Amino acid sequence: MTARIGVVTFPGSLDDRDAQRAIRVAGAEPVALWHGSHDLEGVDAVVLPGGFSYGDYLRAGAIAALAPIMTEVKQAAEKGMPVLGICNGFQMLVEAHLLPGGLIRNAHQQFIRRDQKLVVENADTAWTNAFDAGDEIIIPLKNADGGFTADEETLKRIEGEGQVAFRYAGVNPNGSLRDIAGLTNERGNVVGLMPHPEHAVEPGFGPNTPAAMRSGVDGLRIFESALNALASRVA
């Protein structure tokens, strides 16, 4: 049976359709979910997409973290459902306390857009198992509030428990502490990252690579990882 992965649309979401397309390219069925609903419609996994939910008022992701559907998302995550937060979705996950730390204004106080090199630090999560630890990938990045921050005790715990999923390589684009670009929870079913894997799933539309312009599809393996995780749960 084809896996069904929900994508939640919030007021101000920009990349929900892109996430749906990435899910379809990976071989799953995307299911559109609405922020004001209390129904996950029986999906097997959830993606919180990028954008500027509720205009990023208060703090990026803070209001969205209190949206009605987040009650169900949090309950499902606590039961082991794979949940991915991309950019604004990552901000929602930390605001909802599904992931540690916080995300603040970029160190240079400017919006940034670039094709960003990452290192996969943890390849044992529901969203990274199609990689090997140490893999270098290129994923588009676009954010204004992408600086990861946490107190020293939290940073030590994150590092010690292997919760860094992705780390910036080559350049730190936003001042994130320890070059942290993405995190996982202790269980490995919830992952958040600032770069946008949904923009690197189809040849001709992804980042440039040494092989050819716009040929990068490293983001596709993030969505394929979820299918692997769901298949293993069924088996």
Side-chain angles (χ1 to χ4, degrees):
M1 182 177 295
T2 302
R4 302 172 71 248
I5 301 179
V7 179
V8 183
T9 297
F10 299 84
S13 293
L14 299 179
D15 298 292
D16 45 345
R17 295 296 182 90
D18 299 89
Q20 292 175 25
R21 186 186 75 250
I23 289 164
R24 190 176 295 111
V25 172
E29 176 188 349
V31 178
L33 302 176
W34 185 240
H35 71 106
S37 172
H38 279 287
D39 187 359
L40 293 182
E41 300 187 21
V43 298
D44 303 299
V46 170
V47 175
L48 305 178
F52 301 91
S53 59
Y54 299 92
D56 276 352
Y57 292 117
L58 185 60
R59 289 185 309 276
I63 299 176
L66 302 175
I69 203 166
M70 289 300 291
T71 299
E72 281 64 41
V73 171
K74 290 170 70 174
Q75 291 174 351
E78 289 163 0
K79 294 177 182 177
M81 177 182 284
V83 176
L84 176 68
I86 302 169
C87 195
N88 194 220
F90 185 14
Q91 295 159 347
M92 295 176 205
L93 291 176
V94 298
E95 291 288 346
H97 305 296
L98 287 171
L99 292 175
L103 291 153
I104 61 175
R105 197 73 174 172
N106 292 346
H108 45 66
Q109 301 295 304
Q110 295 179 339
F111 184 91
I112 188 169
R113 192 285 182 221
R114 57 176 286 125
D115 290 339
Q116 178 65 48
K117 183 183 291 186
L118 305 176
V119 173
V120 179
E121 295 285 340
N122 185 334
D124 294 323
T125 80
W127 298 94
T128 61
N129 60 71
F131 299 99
D132 292 321
D135 279 354
E136 290 190 355
I137 61 176
I138 299 177
I139 302 291
L141 174 76
K142 50 177 186 174
N143 64 69
D145 297 272
F148 179 76
T149 187
D151 59 42
E152 191 61 29
E153 181 179 347
T154 300
L155 287 170
K156 288 180 180 178
R157 177 172 58 81
I158 289 170
E159 297 280 7
E161 296 179 359
Q163 288 187 252
V164 178
F166 300 96
R167 212 181 297 269
Y168 296 117
V171 63
N172 183 325
N174 45 34
S176 290
L177 299 181
R178 308 282 182 94
D179 298 327
I180 291 172
L183 294 175
T184 179
N185 64 346
E186 294 178 10
R187 189 169 181 173
N189 62 301
V190 177
V191 169
L193 75 163
M194 287 309 299
H196 286 260
E198 76 278 17
H199 296 320
V201 299
E202 292 180 285
F205 298 94
N208 295 337
T209 73
M213 293 178 60
R214 318 304 297 169
S215 63
V217 293
D218 289 335
L220 183 59
R221 283 189 282 172
I222 290 178
F223 299 95
E224 291 174 338
S225 293
L227 301 190
N228 294 340
L230 292 171
S232 67
R233 289 173 63 179
V234 172

